[in-house]
Amino acid sequence: MKLVRKDIEKDNAGQVTLIPEDAEDIWHTYNLLQVGDSLRASTIRKVQTESSTGSVGSNRIRTTLTLCVETIDFDSQACQLRVKGTNIQENEYVKMGAYHTIELEPNRQFTLAKKQWDSVVLERIEQACDPSWSADVAAVVMQEGLAHICLVTPSMTLTRAKIEVNIPRKRKGNCSQHDRALERFYEQVVQAIQRHINFEIVKCVLVASPGFVREQFCDYMFQQAVKTDNKLLLENRSKFLQVHSSSGHKYALKEALCDPAVASRLSDTKAAGEVKALDDFYKMLQHEPDRAFYGLKHVEKANEAMAIDTLLISDELFRHQDVAYRSRYVRLVDSVRENMGTVRIFSSLHVSGEQLGQLTGVAAILRFPVAELSDQEEESSSEED
């Protein structure tokens, strides 16, 4: 993301002009937008024109509109963002108050104005404009007959391809059908890797599977690469890292990212940090449940006691259209940082973010044990009796 201009006043009102450069930036833009914001961008509008003879025709005209945002629609697979709203600035083609939908796309500048820029939104702009946050990990999660090719960016896990091949069982004395089907499956996975993984950007390709599937696949892939003199695969052989996963489904990627060998290779990426934080939370929940809280009420109680060491929170909570609801989470984040705690904002499109979403979207690892909220409620109710 390229920051062109930033004008934010002391009362936190103001506007920023940005240019999204890739699909990841469109996701960041989706998280910046809220209903009631003002969005100014170039768009195409169908305009009816009347000639001197009275015949009516229509032309598609490129114009710049300023909309008051009403609905925001994000397609995570195609990474397309459509923003619908009413025109709030005079325009020769579009009346004031007329509805229009702007489609935001890479390399097209837009200006976003808000009455209140909070700390979470400003931090996201900083991260989006930091080039070190770009995607550098790919993963092939597979089992016999099923494979997912994924790109692990700092903010989301994108499934680029899903390969399914029916593989017959081995029969006594005749394995040829099984072997042929397996070879066909491996060949399709190799083609998908070459089609979807950009080795100029990707630093590491995880090959994860149960059993010996990953070893057999990698042996096949590099044997074929030698036979066909495939320079792309041979030159990037060192980037492939084999790790264990329980299945070939996308959710098994979390186990692969937790592997210590992977963690050391990915130590500088946000994705690895999120996975480790969630793993630490689950370990704490198992061994010291008084130091692992989840759910807004429990986490706020721990924050009042200044007990939060690490706050884990889903970015989905900051997209809520209710301003009071959203600002409650922003205050929590600011308060934890003031008390010298660490805040990790998880992407809801990431495998770790999906798991956090199942835990209400907010959790905390505490510095010291705090009595459960339910216990305190019971005590207070018994005192009242």
Side-chain angles (χ1 to χ4, degrees), residues 4 329 371:
V4 179
Y329 286 104

Side-chain angles (χ1 to χ4, degrees), residues 19 40 61 90 173 183 196 239 272 284 332 350:
I19 302 174
R40 182 174 175 79
I61 291 168
E90 285 291 341
E183 197 169 306
H196 296 289
K239 291 183 180 180
M284 193 66 82
L332 176 64
H350 217 291

Side-chain angles (χ1 to χ4, degrees), residues 212-311:
F212 297 102
V213 178
R214 57 188 179 275
E215 286 96 336
Q216 290 164 1
F217 167 70
C218 285
D219 289 346
Y220 170 85
M221 177 168 60
F222 292 117
Q223 279 168 14
Q224 291 300 312
V226 171
K227 276 183 196 174
T228 58
D229 193 27
N230 187 326
K231 288 189 171 67
L232 180 73
L233 291 175
L234 293 173
E235 285 171 7
N236 291 287
R237 187 171 187 161
S238 60
K239 291 183 180 180
F240 286 83
L241 182 64
Q242 296 178 28
V243 288
H244 172 78
S245 71
S246 59
S247 76
H249 293 279
K250 181 184 161 185
Y251 65 80
L253 183 57
K254 181 187 171 288
E255 302 162 24
L257 291 169
C258 279
D259 189 291
V262 177
S264 64
R265 286 278 286 266
L266 314 181
S267 56
D268 59 338
T269 68
K270 177 175 182 275
E274 285 183 3
V275 170
K276 186 183 181 302
L278 195 61
D279 199 39
D280 290 346
F281 173 78
Y282 278 122
K283 281 178 186 167
M284 193 66 82
L285 193 62
Q286 195 175 357
H287 301 297
E288 289 185 72
D290 282 353
R291 285 182 59 200
F293 279 17
Y294 63 92
L296 184 58
K297 275 188 182 176
H298 288 72
V299 171
E300 281 182 331
K301 192 76 186 171
N303 185 47
E304 283 170 24
M306 297 188 187
I308 295 177
D309 183 42
T310 307
L311 177 70

